Amino acid sequence: MLYSMTAFATSPILLTGMSGAGLSTAARVLEDKGFYVAHNLPPELMVQLFDLCADDNSPVDKVAVVADVRSRMFGGSILSAMDELKNRNMPVTVLFMDARDDVLIRRFDSVRRTHPLQEKDTLQVGIERERAAISALKERADVIIDSSNLSVHDLRRAMEASFGSTGLDKQHVTVESFGFKHGAPRDADLVLDVRFLPNPYWVPELREYRGTDGPVADYVLASPAAHSFIANFEKMLDSMLDGYRHEGKNFITVAIGCTGGHHRSVAISEELARRLRIRDELEVTIMHRDFERS
């Protein structure tokens, strides 16, 4: 059976990743976005579910499957199911949730749970087993969200940035500002450093504003270096988009950093997103990771 792409409002989503990395929160966000979300389906049933949802009479036009460690206990391979769907003209969008080992350990400890693959060993061993088991799946992911430094609300914003209004025929670009003092995003495809630009922080009357405010944006964008930087990056991105599409990568995250993530990175991200939104072939969203951090 070949699927009709018009049977779905957006590409079906496979939500997977590390236990404790935010799968439940991500699933709730998708449900709030109108997705029918099926949890812990064996791989064999995943294809059957998409068959049902692709039917012209199906009441579902947006569907997501959560495949956590319990799903992988059943026979069959998630990768094989993905290949079968691709051969039927219905490739799934793979969202992979990840987090650092120390963060996962802290989260499991806080809720007094054992890892599903821990058995009689340590929590660290269980996490290492799961990483090894799903490494190939992570390599096939379209979107990787690292929740190590994200609150529940930050994770929701990251999800909405990636899946808020994505169409089937467009490349999705997320422009994310951040502060290097809080660490660079581990899930970004491209990381840009704008700390070479004049810093509004050192202008007393601008310090308490943010890059979304007119005075700060005007100050940052008044620098000739800011405009040449954005123009040069646009040219570079143009040279990459066709290659990304050819490789099947339709979700691209561009992270732009300054020192604190309040001024320069925010202003540059806003201007870059504004320019990219003009293009019909792109779906552009923006998020400011460290906007409210001190």
Side-chain angles (χ1 to χ4, degrees), residues 225-238 275:
H227 285 280
S228 62
F229 173 83
I230 294 172
N232 288 335
F233 177 72
E234 281 192 278
K235 291 178 182 178
M236 185 181 77
L237 185 62
D238 280 338
R275 296 190 188 191

Side-chain angles (χ1 to χ4, degrees), residues 98-101 103 106-107 145-150 186:
D98 202 359
R100 299 192 313 269
D101 286 6
V103 174
R106 185 168 64 249
R107 290 174 181 173
I145 295 180
D146 189 311
S147 66
S148 300
N149 297 320
L150 302 181
R186 299 182 352 141

Side-chain angles (χ1 to χ4, degrees), residues 208-265:
E208 300 305 317
Y209 289 99
R210 295 293 186 262
T212 51
D213 296 316
V216 172
D218 291 343
Y219 179 88
V220 173
L221 296 175
S223 168
H227 285 280
S228 62
F229 173 83
I230 294 172
N232 288 335
F233 177 72
E234 281 192 278
K235 291 178 182 178
M236 185 181 77
L237 185 62
D238 280 338
S239 70
M240 301 169 71
L241 287 175
D242 285 343
Y244 274 139
R245 184 181 291 276
H246 182 266
E247 294 299 318
K249 184 172 181 58
N250 291 319
F251 293 82
I252 304 156
T253 298
V254 179
I256 301 176
C258 61
T259 303
H262 296 161
H263 301 109
R264 291 167 291 180
S265 62

